[in-house]
Amino acid sequence: DTGVSQNPRHKITKRGQNVTFRCDPISEHNRLYWYRQTLGQGPEFLTYFQNEAQLEKSRLLSDRFSAERPKGSFSTLEIQRTEQGDSAMYLCASRQTNEKLFFGSGTQLSVL
Amino acid sequence: DQQVKQNSPSLSVQEGRISILNCDYTNSMFDYFLWYKKYPAEGPTFLISISSIKDKNEDGRFTVFLNKSAKHLSLHIVPSQPGDSAVYFCAAETSGSRLTFGEGTQLTVNP
């Protein structure tokens, strides 16, 4: 399978806990994106990387959120001290610059 | 500020007929537009795109039209099939940076 891979597919956590999601992009893609989607809305941009450099962060990304892409390969998105409002589908996507964007299947987060 | 808007949350059509999904944008710097299709519990899948230098792009049953003066694009699916039932997202970007998505339109194609 050479698509974008995200783990876990589902995560249930209690409010206040920390969670970490992983994304493995398509191997030759230099850009990696994180989006968040809630019911009835389109994907909202969170942040993106070109290789290992984080080029842009949305104002939606509070200081409880941090993303990394060490060595320009896989990426992790960590949410600290989760809140119920963090419940959403977290989508990862990758692309070569100026090519189309390929999405993973997402991680569905539920904060109880 | 919602820069990409899809004003119809849902659309229902009969199998074999044409489906027309609409999208409006406000940012005149957008130079590339895409449509994605999404099934429940899956990530969005690329469908078709159009550059701002064109006004039409066709791929099989799918055609995207761009009206830059009106800042409007539309996706035509003809003939519509039950398997086309999904949520369709319009997206736009500037110079290959990041995509901005609309809210989506749920298309239902009835047999």
Side-chain angles (χ1 to χ4, degrees):
Chain A
D1 185 4
T2 56
V4 178
S5 177
Q6 290 188 248
N7 288 289
R9 289 294 306 273
H10 304 275
K11 179 69 177 179
I12 300 173
T13 192
K14 292 184 178 178
R15 190 177 52 186
Q17 298 294 304
N18 299 343
V19 294
T20 300
F21 310 139
R22 177 179 170 124
C23 172
D24 288 272
I26 294 171
S27 57
E28 63 268 24
H29 287 179
N30 62 343
R31 289 195 172 181
L32 186 149
Y33 297 76
W34 286 98
Y35 282 82
R36 178 174 67 187
Q37 185 179 15
T38 53
L39 202 61
Q41 298 296 315
E44 293 176 299
F45 170 76
L46 294 178
T47 188
Y48 86 95
F49 294 84
Q50 177 156 304
N51 301 314
E52 66 273 14
Q54 190 172 18
L55 293 190
E56 187 178 353
K57 288 172 61 173
S58 166
R59 286 170 292 178
L60 292 174
L61 216 64
S62 77
D63 55 7
R64 296 185 298 107
F65 288 70
S66 62
E68 294 182 342
R69 192 183 183 198
K71 303 176 185 177
S73 56
F74 71 92
S75 176
T76 57
L77 177 68
E78 181 183 16
I79 309 173
Q80 296 182 327
R81 306 181 302 281
T82 52
E83 301 172 356
Q84 287 185 322
D86 297 332
S87 296
M89 169 80 82
Y90 289 83
L91 293 162
C92 177
S94 71
R95 73 196 296 188
Q96 274 294 93
T97 307
N98 292 325
E99 299 291 319
K100 64 188 180 202
L101 197 61
F102 290 86
F103 281 87
S105 297
T107 295
Q108 182 65 54
L109 173 66
S110 297
V111 181
L112 305 179
Chain B
D1 176 28
Q2 187 68 26
Q3 297 187 61
V4 179
K5 282 200 68 67
Q6 294 176 254
N7 290 313
S8 299
S10 63
L11 174 68
S12 183
V13 299
Q14 285 299 120
E15 180 179 5
R17 305 296 289 268
I18 186 171
S19 296
I20 300 176
L21 295 96
N22 293 301
C23 177
D24 297 293
Y25 62 95
T26 57
N27 188 343
S28 57
M29 299 300 291
F30 287 144
D31 57 11
Y32 197 59
F33 304 88
L34 307 91
W35 285 93
Y36 280 79
K37 176 179 176 180
K38 187 179 184 302
Y39 293 114
E42 294 183 12
T45 304
F46 171 78
L47 197 56
I48 192 169
S49 62
I50 188 167
S51 164
S52 60
I53 62 174
K54 295 186 173 182
D55 55 19
K56 177 183 175 181
N57 189 27
E58 190 172 355
D59 183 3
R61 295 185 299 114
F62 303 91
T63 303
V64 56
F65 295 91
L66 175 63
N67 182 334
K68 288 192 294 293
S69 61
K71 294 193 177 66
H72 177 83
L73 65 157
S74 60
L75 174 68
H76 293 210
I77 306 173
V78 56
S80 302
Q81 300 173 353
D84 295 330
S85 297
V87 178
Y88 289 77
F89 291 103
C90 168
E93 67 176 349
T94 304
S95 302
S97 58
R98 58 170 169 91
L99 295 186
T100 300
F101 285 84
E103 307 93 322
T105 297
Q106 171 70 59
L107 173 66
T108 303
V109 181
N110 301 303

